[in-house]
C-alpha cells in the first residue's frame, strides 16, 4: 500500500517521533513499531474508501455501458468510459499489491514450520556453512570484526537487494527502505554499527530480526 494517497505523510510524521534510548537497536525497533501501527490504521481506512470508490465506479461504468447500448456513442461518453476503466484498474492494482504482501507474510509465518527434520538439516550444515573469513578489497581477513562497515557499504548492500524482498515479517520491504532512505539512513547505519561493535541483540528484540544465512558453499564475500 506504499502508493496510496497520504502514505508519505504517515511515514514522515511517524518517523519524526522522539524515542528515548541510548541503544540504536531499541530506537530503530520502536520507530518501526510505531510506524507499523500508524500504517495499519491508514491502510484500514484506505481499504474502506477503496471499496466504496470501486462500487461507485462500477455503477458508473454500468450506467455508461447502458447508454452506449441504447445508442449514445458520443466522444465525451466514450472518453468518460476510458477514464472510469483506468481508475478501476488503478484500484485493482493497489488491491493486488496488498494481497501479494499479505500472502508473503502468511507464507513467512506458516510456510516453513519449525519441524524436527528442519532443525536436523540446519544443525548438520551449520559447521559446513560456517564463515571463517572473507575477502575485503582483495585481502583475506579471518577476523572481519576488525573492519567496520562504512555508510557507503551499508547503502550498497541495501540497494543490491531486490525491492520486493522483505527483511522480516514486519512487512517493511527493501523497496520501502530505499524509498525513504533519506529519512531513516542514520537509523539504519546506527543499527548496523551497534551490532558490529557489541555483537549482541538487546533484550526484548526479536533474535530473528538480524540473521546471516549463507546460501552458497565456500562463502568468501559479503554480497
Amino acid at each position: 500500500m506504499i502508493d496510496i494517497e497520504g502514505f508519505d505523510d504517515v511515514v514522515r510524521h511517524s518517523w519524526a517521533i522522539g524515542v528515548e534510548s541510548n541503544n540504536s537497536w531499541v530506537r530503530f525497533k520502536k520507530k518501526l513499531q510505531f510506524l507499523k501501527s500508524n500504517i495499519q490504521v491508514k491502510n484500514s481506512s484506505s481499504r474502506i474508501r477503496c471499496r466504496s470508490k470501486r462500487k461507485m465506479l462500477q455503477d458508473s461504468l454500468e450506467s455508461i455501458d447502458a447508454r452506449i447500448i441504447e445508442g449514445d456513442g458520443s466522444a465525451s461518453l466514450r472518453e468518460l468510459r476510458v477514464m472510469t476503466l483506468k481508475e478501476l484498474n488503478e484500484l485493482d492494482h493497489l488491491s493486488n499489491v496488498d494481497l501479494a504482501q499479505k500472502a508473503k507474510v502468511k507464507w513467512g509465518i506458516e510456510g516453513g514450520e519449525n519441524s524436527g527434520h528442519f532443525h536436523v538439516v540446519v544443525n548438520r550444515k551449520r559447521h559446513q556453512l560456517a564463515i571463517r573469513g572473507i575477502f575485503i578489497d582483495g585481502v583475506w581477513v579471518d577476523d572481519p570484526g576488525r573492519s567496520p562497515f562504512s555508510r557507503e557499504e551499508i547503502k550498497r548492500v541495501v540497494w543490491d537487494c531486490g525491492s520486493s524482498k522483505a527483511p522480516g515479517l514486519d512487512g517493511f520491504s527493501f523497496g520501502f527502505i530505499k524509498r525513504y532512505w533519506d529519512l531513516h539512513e542514520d537509523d539504519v547505519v546506527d543499527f548496523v554499527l551497534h551490532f558490529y561493535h557489541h555483537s549482541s541483540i538487546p533484550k526484548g528484540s526479536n533474535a530473528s530480526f538480524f540473521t546471516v544465512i549463507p546460501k552458497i558453499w565456500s562463502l568468501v564475500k559479503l554480497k
Side-chain angles (χ1 to χ4, degrees):
M1 302 297 286
I2 196 171
D3 294 321
I4 63 175
E5 183 179 355
F7 187 86
D8 283 353
D9 293 335
V10 171
V11 174
R12 296 188 178 279
H13 172 73
S14 301
W15 208 259
I17 65 166
V19 177
E20 295 183 1
S21 175
N22 294 325
N23 191 307
S24 56
W25 273 60
V26 174
R27 290 199 305 271
F28 193 35
K29 182 190 71 171
K30 287 186 176 181
K31 284 188 176 183
L32 287 176
Q33 289 174 332
F34 183 69
L35 173 59
K36 184 175 182 178
S37 176
N38 287 345
I39 288 177
Q40 288 174 337
V41 173
K42 177 68 176 179
N43 284 349
S44 178
S45 61
S46 177
R47 291 188 188 103
I48 294 174
R49 290 196 302 272
C50 283
R51 285 195 293 267
S52 177
K53 185 176 181 179
R54 196 182 195 290
K55 179 64 168 58
M56 180 189 68
L57 290 172
Q58 192 65 47
D59 291 343
S60 177
L61 183 62
E62 291 176 0
S63 176
I64 292 172
D65 287 342
R67 290 172 59 184
I68 292 176
I69 292 174
E70 292 173 357
D72 184 356
S74 64
S76 60
L77 188 63
R78 293 198 302 272
E79 183 179 354
L80 179 60
R81 187 178 192 278
V82 171
M83 293 175 60
T84 303
L85 282 172
K86 182 179 178 181
E87 289 189 67
L88 278 171
N89 287 334
E90 290 174 351
L91 287 178
D92 287 341
H93 170 70
L94 289 176
S95 177
N96 289 336
V97 170
D98 188 34
L99 290 174
Q101 187 66 27
K102 286 181 178 178
K104 182 185 298 182
V105 172
K106 182 177 177 65
W107 170 256
I109 296 174
E110 301 178 0
E113 296 181 354
N114 290 324
S115 63
H117 173 73
F118 174 79
H119 283 288
V120 169
V121 173
V122 171
N123 290 330
R124 185 171 62 242
K125 291 185 176 181
R126 187 183 301 276
H127 178 72
Q128 297 171 324
L129 294 177
I131 303 174
R132 297 177 176 81
I134 59 174
F135 277 111
I136 299 178
D137 295 329
V139 179
W140 177 257
V141 180
D142 56 13
D143 183 11
R146 296 178 180 174
S147 302
F149 304 112
S150 68
R151 183 175 292 260
E152 292 72 23
E153 284 178 307
I154 295 172
K155 181 178 180 180
R156 186 165 61 248
V157 169
V158 171
W159 256 255
D160 281 346
C161 294
S163 294
S164 61
K165 299 293 182 64
L169 299 180
D170 51 25
F172 294 110
S173 67
F174 280 103
F176 174 87
I177 296 175
K178 294 174 187 178
R179 176 166 175 166
Y180 297 104
W181 185 250
D182 67 307
L183 188 66
H184 53 222
E185 176 182 0
D186 290 340
D187 293 285
V188 174
V189 172
D190 290 344
F191 170 84
V192 174
L193 292 182
H194 182 277
F195 186 81
Y196 163 76
H197 288 297
H198 300 280
S199 302
S200 64
I201 298 176
K203 184 178 180 180
S205 296
N206 188 345
S208 66
F209 191 69
F210 182 84
T211 306
V212 177
I213 307 177
K215 296 185 178 180
I216 63 173
W217 295 100
S218 302
L219 181 66
V220 295
K221 292 182 179 180
L222 288 178
K223 182 178 181 182

